[in-house]
Amino acid sequence: LAVKDPTAVERANLLNMAKLSIKGLIESALSFGRTLDSDYPPLQQFFVVMEHCLKHGLKVRKSFLSYNKTIWGPLELVEKLYPEAEEIAASVRDLPGLKTPLGRARAWLRLALMQKKMADYLRCLIIQRDLLSEFYEYHALMMEEEGAVIVGLLVGLNVIDANLCVKGEDLDSQVGVIDFSMYLKSDDDIGGKERNVQIAAILDQKNYVEELNRQLNSTVSSLHARVDSLEKSNTKLIEELAIAKNNIIKLQEENHQLRSENTLILMKTQHHLEATKVDVEAELQTYKHSRQGLDEMYNEARRQLREESQLRQDMENELVVQVSMKHEIELAMKLLEKDIHEKQDTLIGLRQQLDEVKAINMEMYQKLQVSEDAMKEKNEIIGRLEDKTNQINATMKQLEQRLQQAEKAQMEAEAEDEKLKQEYVNKSESLQKEFSQKEKQLLQLETDLKIEKEWRQTLEDDLQKEKETVSHLRIETQEIINLKKVNSAEKNKQLKRICQDQEAALQELASKLSESKLKIEDIKEANKALQGQVWLKDKEATHCKLCEKEFSLSKRKHHCRNCGEIFCNACSDNELPLPSSPKPVRVCDSCHAILIQRCSSNVP
């Protein structure tokens, strides 16, 4: 016969005794029907059996005076593994009547039973076998499978309600002896099987209810965590909204500041011009009173001024004609922009329909990927538009610098005026020439200011248009993301036909839009060309380009603003009627642009 391992026999006997004691305790407690006291015999036997189970395979530890072999060491580890066991360990250490480690271990077992967590505490010990190996031998019950079985049996003790008084008992000197007479079968036990079945059903129901309570507690904790996360996200969103509002307010304040600065600059320039005019009139009056002998020269100068004022009126009339032409160009631009906006609206409607068709068809999934690529390109376009806005801001700064330079030029002109006052007493003819030069400079400064104002207005319009395009692109991206979630496959054939028709319509509209954009760019280039031309000096322009004859009183000069050429009256006979001007306008023979009349070199 094969010899059995004595440690295995001991483990089996202890396991059987634990089963009998736990089963007898549960049955007697349910039949008793009240909370159990410390004097209840089955409960005392249960603690004795648990002591024997925990003592099995304990290592002997050397102390200063003798050898130690107690179960308080492994039970004290539970405090580190399971945080909820700290209260039990602290209360056991604070008990005044306990002097030995065995008494502390017995008190710990009683408190764990009252808390209904003995199974949980011992399960933590069994899992950490590396730590248990310091206290138990490798063949001990707590190191083998029998320990896990006993922990599973201890779960059933959660049914029992115990009220144990640990403070007054003498737990140090108790003798742990198992009473086997309690577990012997009798005739009454055979007849009580039905009762045991009922008791088992009750226990199962109670365990089920406790597990439901644990699950509900876990769900409640998870819901609290979700509520906390949602509150944090809400606070973050509120902070982001406040930051966005503050940024909008700052931008509005900057816009108001820029507008106020522009108005101040305009007022300053007007004041400077009025001051220069007042100074010139004062100089003329002083010249009348101081020099009476130069009346004839003054009359001649006055006549020349009248002629020059007439020429200036002619120039102003021509400027009015040009302004009317610009207004007509602007109206045409606005009409083109309205057409473009209407076409863009139609394009947006068609794109929405296309996006709906693409979301409905499962087979058009590849086209959805193409739309995602388009989204990336639009994001890149948005980045480019932001770069353009930065460039526009830079150009605005350059324009402001130009305005400052213009003011400096006016200051220099005023300084030259003061010098001319001193020289005017000696030489009246030089003063007349310098006066005419100053008027030309003022005219140039006024034209430069007008051009810069128009540039600023055009740049602001471009900024608004780019912002609108950015908002449209963002709206389209949100619509694409929302339409991805829609999916229905009932009208595939009809939708495919509609999709093909709409794509053809989109291609036609895109071609028309490209043509309109090219026209707009041509008009802008023409305006830039008109603004960038410079007249030749009177000394350089002495002959007509076509007939090569000298200019005189009969042959006036006519200047083309587009190509820069100069013609005489005889060579520039081409005239065109305009709705904005009462008289027909002369036109250049080479580029068909409007000619401007200039005084000849022989006439002052």
Side-chain angles (χ1 to χ4, degrees):
L1 293 171
V3 179
K4 291 185 179 180
D5 188 5
T7 56
V9 174
E10 289 175 1
R11 289 197 302 271
N13 291 331
L14 287 171
L15 179 61
N16 291 324
M17 283 305 300
K19 287 180 181 178
L20 289 171
S21 65
I22 291 165
K23 184 178 179 182
L25 180 60
I26 291 168
E27 290 176 356
S28 61
L30 290 172
S31 62
F32 191 60
R34 287 180 294 175
T35 56
L36 303 179
D37 298 328
S38 58
D39 296 332
Y40 193 61
L43 187 60
Q44 292 177 356
Q45 287 297 312
F46 166 72
F47 286 125
V48 171
V49 172
M50 285 302 298
E51 283 181 21
H52 283 284
C53 292
L54 290 170
K55 284 180 181 179
H56 185 263
L58 265 175
K59 289 182 179 180
V60 178
R61 289 196 166 191
K62 292 180 181 180
S63 63
F64 184 70
L65 297 172
S66 62
Y67 293 97
N68 237 345
K69 189 178 180 181
T70 59
I71 59 173
W72 176 241
L75 293 178
E76 201 173 6
L77 278 175
V78 179
E79 183 181 359
K80 298 177 181 177
L81 301 173
Y82 204 82
E84 293 181 3
E86 292 178 357
E87 295 179 0
I88 296 174
S91 60
V92 167
R93 291 190 190 97
D94 295 335
L95 285 172
L98 299 176
K99 297 178 181 179
T100 61
L102 183 60
R104 294 191 189 94
R106 287 170 179 171
W108 190 90
L109 289 171
R110 282 159 176 75
L111 292 173
L113 182 65
M114 282 194 286
Q115 281 188 347
K116 297 183 180 181
K117 289 186 178 180
M118 187 185 287
D120 296 331
Y121 295 156
L122 294 178
R123 184 172 60 81
C124 293
L125 272 177
I126 290 166
I127 291 167
Q128 301 292 330
R129 291 190 179 180
D130 296 333
L131 298 173
L132 282 177
S133 62
E134 296 178 1
F135 299 97
Y136 289 100
E137 299 289 343
Y138 68 93
H139 56 79
L141 185 138
M142 296 297 288
M143 298 289 288
E144 296 292 336
E145 294 179 357
E146 286 82 357
V149 175
I150 289 169
V151 171
L153 292 171
L154 290 173
V155 175
L157 294 176
N158 295 331
V159 180
I160 298 169
D161 294 326
N163 187 7
L164 307 176
C165 184
V166 183
K167 190 173 182 180
E169 289 188 5
D170 187 10
L171 298 174
D172 294 329
S173 62
Q174 285 183 2
V175 179
V177 179
I178 299 171
D179 187 7
F180 291 101
S181 63
M182 295 177 65
Y183 307 110
L184 296 174
K185 288 185 179 180
S186 62
D187 295 332
D188 295 332
D189 295 332
I190 296 167
K193 289 182 179 179
E194 294 179 355
R195 190 176 179 183
N196 292 329
V197 171
Q198 292 176 0
I199 290 165
I202 291 164
L203 288 171
D204 292 335
Q205 289 177 359
K206 191 171 182 180
N207 291 326
Y208 177 69
V209 170
E210 288 178 354
E211 288 178 358
L212 280 175
N213 287 325
R214 288 178 184 176
Q215 290 178 358
L216 289 170
N217 288 324
S218 64
T219 53
V220 167
S221 62
S222 65
L223 288 170
H224 281 301
R226 286 183 183 176
V227 168
D228 294 332
S229 64
L230 288 171
E231 287 177 354
K232 289 178 182 178
S233 63
N234 285 326
T235 54
K236 288 180 181 178
L237 289 171
I238 290 163
E239 290 176 357
E240 289 177 355
L241 283 170
I243 291 163
K245 288 179 181 178
N246 291 325
N247 291 326
I248 289 163
I249 291 163
K250 288 179 182 178
L251 291 170
Q252 289 177 356
E253 290 177 355
E254 288 178 357
N255 286 323
H256 288 301
Q257 288 178 0
L258 290 170
R259 288 177 181 174
S260 63
E261 287 176 358
N262 289 325
T263 53
L264 288 170
I265 290 163
L266 290 171
M267 293 293 288
K268 286 179 181 178
T269 52
Q270 289 177 359
H271 285 301
H272 284 301
L273 290 170
E274 289 176 358
T276 53
K277 288 180 181 178
V278 170
D279 291 332
V280 170
E281 289 177 356
E283 286 174 1
L284 289 172
Q285 288 177 2
T286 53
Y287 181 73
K288 285 179 183 178
H289 292 293
S290 62
R291 299 295 296 272
Q292 293 179 359
L294 296 172
D295 289 334
E296 293 177 357
M297 296 293 290
Y298 180 76
N299 291 322
E300 290 178 359
R302 193 171 183 179
R303 182 175 56 78
Q304 290 176 358
L305 285 170
R306 285 177 184 176
E307 290 177 356
E308 287 178 356
S309 63
Q310 288 178 359
L311 291 171
R312 187 173 181 180
Q313 287 178 359
D314 294 331
M315 292 295 293
E316 286 178 353
N317 292 324
E318 289 177 357
L319 285 170
V320 169
V321 173
Q322 289 177 2
V323 169
S324 63
M325 288 291 289
K326 285 182 181 178
H327 285 300
E328 289 176 358
I329 291 164
E330 288 176 354
L331 289 171
M333 291 284 287
K334 288 180 181 178
L335 292 170
L336 288 170
E337 286 176 356
K338 286 180 181 178
D339 293 332
I340 289 163
H341 286 301
E342 290 175 357
K343 289 175 182 178
Q344 285 179 353
D345 293 329
T346 53
L347 280 171
I348 289 164
L350 292 169
R351 283 176 182 170
Q352 289 177 356
Q353 292 177 1
L354 281 171
D355 292 331
E356 290 175 354
V357 171
K358 289 174 183 178
I360 289 164
N361 294 323
M362 290 296 289
E363 295 177 357
M364 304 296 285
Y365 182 72
Q366 295 178 355
K367 290 186 179 179
L368 282 172
Q369 291 179 353
V370 173
S371 67
E372 289 177 356
D373 295 330
M375 285 286 292
K376 293 178 182 177
E377 292 178 357
K378 286 177 181 178
N379 289 323
E380 293 177 357
I381 291 164
I382 289 165
R384 292 174 185 172
L385 291 171
E386 289 176 354
D387 294 331
K388 286 183 180 179
T389 55
N390 293 323
Q391 291 177 0
I392 289 163
N393 289 322
T395 54
M396 291 285 284
K397 290 179 181 178
Q398 291 177 0
L399 291 170
E400 289 176 357
Q401 291 176 0
R402 288 181 183 175
L403 284 170
Q404 292 176 0
Q405 291 176 0
E407 289 177 357
K408 289 179 181 178
Q410 286 182 358
M411 294 294 288
E412 291 175 359
E414 288 176 359
E416 289 176 0
D417 287 328
E418 290 176 357
K419 292 178 181 178
L420 289 168
K421 285 177 184 179
Q422 295 177 0
E423 294 176 359
Y424 191 81
V425 177
N426 297 322
K427 294 179 181 180
S428 62
E429 293 178 355
S430 62
L431 190 145
Q432 290 175 359
K433 292 179 182 179
E434 287 175 357
F435 183 75
S436 63
Q437 289 178 0
K438 286 179 183 178
E439 283 184 348
K440 289 178 182 179
Q441 287 178 358
L442 287 170
L443 288 170
Q444 288 178 359
L445 290 169
E446 287 176 357
T447 52
D448 291 330
L449 285 169
K450 289 179 182 178
I451 290 162
E452 286 174 355
K453 287 178 184 177
E454 290 175 358
W455 269 104
R456 183 170 284 179
Q457 288 178 358
T458 53
L459 290 169
E460 289 177 354
D461 294 331
D462 292 331
L463 276 169
Q464 290 178 358
K465 289 177 183 178
E466 287 174 355
K467 288 179 181 177
E468 288 176 357
T469 52
V470 169
S471 63
H472 284 302
L473 289 170
R474 286 177 179 169
I475 291 164
E476 288 179 0
T477 54
Q478 290 178 358
E479 288 176 353
I480 288 165
I481 291 165
N482 292 323
L483 288 169
K484 284 180 182 178
K485 298 177 181 178
V486 181
N487 187 8
S488 64
E490 294 179 358
K491 297 179 180 181
N492 286 324
K493 294 181 181 180
Q494 294 178 359
L495 292 171
K496 284 179 182 177
R497 292 176 184 173
I498 292 165
C499 182
Q500 291 176 358
D501 295 333
Q502 288 174 354
E503 285 179 353
L506 280 172
Q507 290 177 358
E508 291 177 359
L509 288 169
S511 63
K512 290 180 180 179
L513 281 171
S514 63
E515 291 176 359
S516 64
K517 286 181 180 177
L518 290 170
K519 289 179 181 178
I520 290 164
E521 289 178 355
D522 293 333
I523 290 164
K524 287 181 179 179
E525 289 177 357
N527 286 325
K528 289 179 182 177
L530 289 171
Q531 290 175 1
Q533 294 296 330
V534 180
W535 284 1
L536 291 172
K537 294 181 180 179
D538 291 332
K539 293 179 180 180
E540 294 178 358
T542 56
H543 293 80
C544 179
K545 186 179 179 182
L546 294 177
C547 61
E548 296 182 355
K549 292 180 180 180
E550 290 185 358
F551 294 109
S552 62
L553 291 170
S554 61
K555 290 187 177 184
R556 294 279 184 175
K557 294 180 183 179
H558 289 274
H559 184 270
C560 180
R561 293 187 67 181
N562 190 13
C563 59
E565 300 296 339
I566 299 171
F567 303 99
C568 62
N569 291 328
C571 296
S572 58
D573 291 333
N574 294 327
E575 292 183 351
L576 285 175
L578 289 175
S580 60
S581 64
K583 295 179 181 181
V585 180
R586 295 182 183 274
V587 180
C588 180
D589 291 329
S590 60
C591 64
H592 299 288
I594 297 169
L595 295 175
I596 297 168
Q597 185 178 0
R598 294 174 64 182
C599 61
S600 64
S601 59
N602 297 323
V603 179

